[in-house]
Amino acid sequence: MRLVLASASPRRLDLLKRIGVTPDAVVPAEIDETPLKGELPPLYAARMAMEKAEAVRGAHEGALILAADTVVAAGRRILPKTESEEEARQALSLLSGRRHRVLSAVTLVGADGAARHRLSTSIVAFKRFSPDELEAYIASGEWQGKAGGYAIQGRAEALIRQISGSHSGVVGLPLFETRALLRAAGYPLG
């Protein structure tokens, strides 16, 4: 049984290795990740995971396709992957001293084309950042390309006061849900 990971994220590959899974191929999915007008964060995350799986599926007939998407949400607002220092500063200023949700959707498309889905929701609470803490984090560059402007597996973890939910989901691939999907599809797990 072949497994294809539809992702460009090295973190997702590392997380899969933690549960003893090495995909036969890793293929980044090229899709438009623009949220639809009024789209709620859980629906957006689920749609992105499904679209990533579908984008890769055609070139890998007969394989299991695993795709995921992680969204940082402040209320109904979807925070983008930050591409500039100013975007990161705005996102982190918004999250400073408050709780937010991290939604990680996982889709597994079977060899028969049937899709199974899971959604992990975690609550993350940051401490209130001092101006120096915020600027030091911005200077680290760790925010680049990260949803909400931070990476929990890096320096930002020291700024998190509380997390409720899946740590691996906040990193980018909820392992409990992923393992359940793989097991249900008959993928051999240790």
Side-chain angles (χ1 to χ4, degrees), residues 24-163:
D24 297 291
V26 177
V27 181
E30 299 296 328
I31 63 168
D32 178 3
E33 295 191 35
T34 306
L36 302 174
K37 185 171 176 60
E39 189 170 30
L40 296 175
L43 298 176
Y44 171 74
R47 181 173 66 85
M48 288 296 95
M50 186 65 203
E51 285 185 15
K52 288 175 184 180
E54 287 298 324
V56 169
R57 190 177 134 221
H60 297 277
E61 287 296 323
L64 291 174
I65 309 296
L66 178 67
D69 194 68
T70 300
V71 173
V72 173
R76 296 169 57 105
R77 183 174 171 186
I78 297 168
L79 299 184
K81 292 178 182 173
T82 52
E83 303 300 334
S84 71
E85 284 187 7
E86 188 51 35
E87 284 179 341
R89 194 173 283 107
Q90 287 174 4
L92 291 168
S93 295
L94 176 66
L95 299 176
S96 177
R98 60 185 286 202
R99 297 178 341 157
H100 63 277
R101 290 177 299 149
V102 179
L103 304 122
S104 285
V106 183
T107 294
L108 183 69
V109 177
D112 60 356
R116 294 178 173 91
H117 313 278
R118 293 285 185 278
L119 179 68
S120 166
T121 301
S122 301
I123 306 295
V124 177
F126 273 117
K127 72 179 287 302
R128 183 163 305 284
F129 308 139
S130 71
D132 289 344
E133 287 171 324
L134 179 59
E135 291 310 314
Y137 191 74
I138 297 297
S140 77
E142 196 175 79
W143 52 266
Q144 293 178 1
K146 303 294 188 299
Y150 73 93
I152 193 173
Q153 70 276 17
R155 295 177 183 195
E157 190 165 12
L159 302 172
I160 292 172
R161 163 171 76 69
Q162 183 180 14
I163 179 172

